[in-house]
Amino acid sequence: MGEQNVNNDLSGEELRGFMKRVLTDLRALEKMIADGMIESGVRRIGAEQEMFIVDDSMRPARLALELLEELADPRFTHEIGLFNLEANLDPCLFGGDCLVSLETRLNEVVDKARQAARTQGAEIVLAGILPTIRGSDLGMDSMTPVPRYEALNRALRRLRGEDYEFRIKGIDELLVKHDSVMVEACNASFQVHFQVGAEEFAPLYNITQLVTGPMLAVSANSPLLFGRRLWRETRIALFRQSVDTRASASDLRQRSPRVTFGRKWVDRSVIELFQEDILRFRALLGAEVEEDPFQVLAEGRVPSLKALRLHNGTVYRWNRPCYGISDGKAHLRIENRVLPAGPTTLDEVANAAFWFGLIRALSVEYDQVSEMMEFDLTKENFFSAAQLGLSAQFNWLDGRVYPATELLGEQLLPQAREGLLSVGVSSSDVDRYLGVIEERVASEMTGAQWVLGSLAQMREKGTPGERLNALTAGMISRSKGGGAVATWTPAEVEEAGGWKHNYLR
């Protein structure tokens, strides 16, 4: 959920002091790895669900604090926008009925959020980017009033020194300026976590990087921003630019963005990623850190590594390494930040199942994927998937280039199936969740394609605003129907509710 007791108004001396704490934490983690203190031989999975709150006109509703009070549930927390909510699911062991358990708990929190929203005359939407969101919704009055977000905005503004300028080109083109980090609130994701041992981190992390492109292509769900048709997964471009501290053209050429896919394969250890991020990115936020991790270790306890975790939380790798403590034991996990929210909870669990199964299968089949393919080709796959979805072409381990549907259907889905079966997931559960992915591939109907296809069918019907309202209303009604997005009928302009829900004056 993020450290909330933070400060960005750091003097030079305070900044140096905090960075010393970060480096001390890193050395402590290195010692813990060397001494075998990181939990191994246990595989847990977990997830975080982000969602939008909308009013009866399908517009963002700034009701997060009211809903949190109504919910009174520690699984829920706020996000940067007052029209966003996040729910955190407890981890479970990977294998057996883990996917059914994940879907059950996910439905529970989403249904509970919907019930709370209805008491305020609102609704919950699962979408990567809300179709009806406008620039006017992203003022500072829409920011959740907690110190972390305010401090983050001040820090980014100070480093950047000017307004944010967003340039994204797809079918249409978007060129817009904004004066705060609030554009980040346009994005909602379904983040999944995969626990790994320290000794296996490098090869497993490299596999997650390898499969990210194909996984993103088949899960794309964010083709619109401010009514413009952009990338199939526009979140990738938008989030990168929304927290970018680089202002000038020379900065863009010479410095790395804080939102990154990475620069190279990991050779040996998770330490490499933390070292790179500390070297390349100055601290955005600071906090008082009294813990001496080496003293904690000497006392036989597990250190929290608060400084390292806070710094890590302001560097946004799409596959991010995470340190945590569970049941008194330190662990490492890989956080997948690529998957969008929605279109349905079934689609989300299917995406997660595909990812988990692929990691398992490829880790058994290959010792080091880093020796079989250049990293830059994997990075190219990632951005190609974000822009084109299932129309992308992918470089692969055998040196060939495959159309996305061919690679997914003929190689990756069978491998994911084998990976899930090998950890004891029942064949019926595998059929249920990977069947969702198979149907998307066969029909080439992702969430992004449903949005674009619906817009095409509504062309010349109603106003542009009504068409966006119809998309949002259609998402809400269809997501409650139980079917995955590949089975959805197109949205119709009549679902918008008429002109009265779409006027400014």
Side-chain angles (χ1 to χ4, degrees), residues 160 162 245-253:
R160 188 173 175 84
E162 60 184 47
T245 58
R246 305 170 303 166
S248 68
S250 62
D251 279 348
L252 290 171
R253 287 193 299 270

Side-chain angles (χ1 to χ4, degrees), residues 97-409:
D97 65 352
C98 66
L99 299 176
V100 173
S101 174
L102 180 61
E103 185 183 10
T104 299
R105 289 179 290 125
L106 189 56
N107 282 329
E108 182 183 336
V109 295
V110 171
D111 289 346
K112 191 169 184 179
R114 284 174 171 154
Q115 291 169 13
R118 290 190 197 104
T119 66
Q120 302 289 330
E123 259 293 357
I124 295 296
V125 183
L126 301 182
I129 296 177
L130 185 67
T132 51
I133 203 164
R134 298 171 178 163
S136 57
D137 297 313
L138 305 175
M140 292 299 290
D141 56 344
S142 292
M143 179 180 283
T144 303
V146 297
R148 180 183 177 88
Y149 304 132
E150 296 166 358
L152 180 64
N153 184 62
R154 290 195 302 271
L156 290 170
R157 285 283 300 170
R158 184 178 66 247
L159 287 177
R160 188 173 175 84
E162 60 184 47
D163 286 349
Y164 297 84
E165 189 170 280
F166 297 89
R167 292 188 177 95
I168 309 174
K169 188 172 183 178
I171 301 173
D172 303 318
E173 188 170 4
L174 178 71
L175 176 59
V176 66
K177 286 189 175 183
H178 197 66
D179 61 357
S180 78
V181 74
M182 272 299 294
V183 177
E184 183 185 336
C186 292
N187 292 335
S189 62
F190 177 65
Q191 298 167 16
V192 288
H193 295 249
F194 193 73
Q195 184 177 330
V196 300
E199 72 288 347
E200 61 182 355
F201 180 90
L204 289 181
Y205 185 84
N206 289 339
I207 287 172
T208 67
Q209 294 282 76
L210 173 71
V211 304
T212 293
M215 182 196 68
L216 178 59
V218 80
S219 62
N221 191 37
S222 312
L224 297 181
L225 178 60
F226 305 150
R228 308 293 205 284
R229 297 164 298 174
L230 303 171
W231 292 10
R232 293 300 190 272
E233 192 51 51
T234 303
R235 288 171 47 255
I236 303 304
L238 181 63
F239 188 53
R240 175 171 174 150
Q241 296 180 41
S242 67
V243 293
D244 203 340
T245 58
R246 305 170 303 166
S248 68
S250 62
D251 279 348
L252 290 171
R253 287 193 299 270
Q254 297 174 17
R255 295 170 54 199
S256 299
R258 295 190 85 97
V259 178
T260 178
F261 184 74
R263 298 184 310 120
K264 61 186 183 67
W265 298 115
V266 176
D267 293 326
R268 296 175 304 278
S269 169
V270 66
I271 297 296
E272 296 168 37
L273 296 178
F274 289 130
Q275 285 176 334
E276 180 180 331
D277 292 344
I278 293 168
L279 175 66
R280 289 183 171 270
F281 304 111
R282 62 167 291 174
L284 286 181
L285 306 174
E288 291 187 12
V289 181
E290 298 180 357
E291 176 188 78
D292 178 345
F294 286 97
Q295 179 63 38
V296 173
L297 288 172
E299 295 171 358
R301 296 183 290 116
V302 178
S304 67
L305 306 188
K306 177 180 177 180
L308 180 64
R309 293 165 76 178
L310 178 56
H311 185 269
N312 189 49
T314 62
V315 179
Y316 305 94
R317 291 182 180 270
W318 288 110
N319 289 306
R320 182 157 67 181
C322 295
Y323 167 88
I325 301 172
S326 179
D327 298 326
K329 296 180 181 178
H331 69 260
L332 295 172
R333 61 188 189 277
I334 300 169
E335 177 189 25
N336 179 328
R337 303 171 54 81
V338 171
L339 293 172
T344 69
T345 54
L346 174 57
D347 283 298
E348 290 176 329
V349 178
N351 294 337
F354 183 53
W355 189 61
F356 297 144
L358 272 181
I359 295 174
R360 167 65 183 177
L362 294 183
S363 66
V364 172
E365 187 170 350
Y366 303 110
D367 291 331
Q368 294 288 347
V369 296
S370 58
E371 297 175 358
M372 303 176 65
M373 183 169 153
E374 291 293 328
F375 179 81
D376 286 348
L377 295 178
T378 301
K379 191 171 184 177
E380 181 183 331
N381 288 347
F382 171 67
F383 285 106
S384 179
Q387 293 176 59
L388 301 174
L390 287 176
S391 297
Q393 302 271 325
F394 292 130
N395 306 281
W396 208 242
L397 297 171
D398 56 7
R400 288 184 54 192
V401 177
Y402 292 89
T405 52
E406 181 182 337
L407 180 65
L408 286 158

Side-chain angles (χ1 to χ4, degrees), residues 13-86:
E13 183 178 350
E14 290 170 329
L15 180 61
R16 287 189 293 273
F18 178 74
M19 289 309 296
K20 286 181 180 178
R21 292 288 192 181
V22 174
L23 290 169
T24 299
D25 282 358
L26 183 61
R27 289 195 300 272
L29 177 59
E30 198 164 12
K31 175 177 171 55
M32 293 170 69
I33 292 173
D35 292 347
M37 294 184 62
I38 303 299
E39 189 173 24
S40 182
V42 177
R43 189 79 74 221
R44 297 187 185 90
I45 60 173
E48 303 169 44
Q49 175 72 69
E50 296 175 354
M51 56 196 91
F52 291 100
I53 312 165
V54 296
D55 59 23
D56 60 359
S57 295
M58 301 297 115
R59 294 293 309 284
R62 297 184 295 182
L63 294 170
L65 299 183
E66 290 85 347
L67 264 60
L68 287 172
E69 184 176 356
E70 172 79 17
L71 288 162
D73 186 328
R75 292 175 296 181
F76 289 88
T77 187
H78 46 69
E79 266 292 332
I80 192 168
L82 283 169
F83 45 78
N84 304 125
L85 271 184
E86 179 181 306

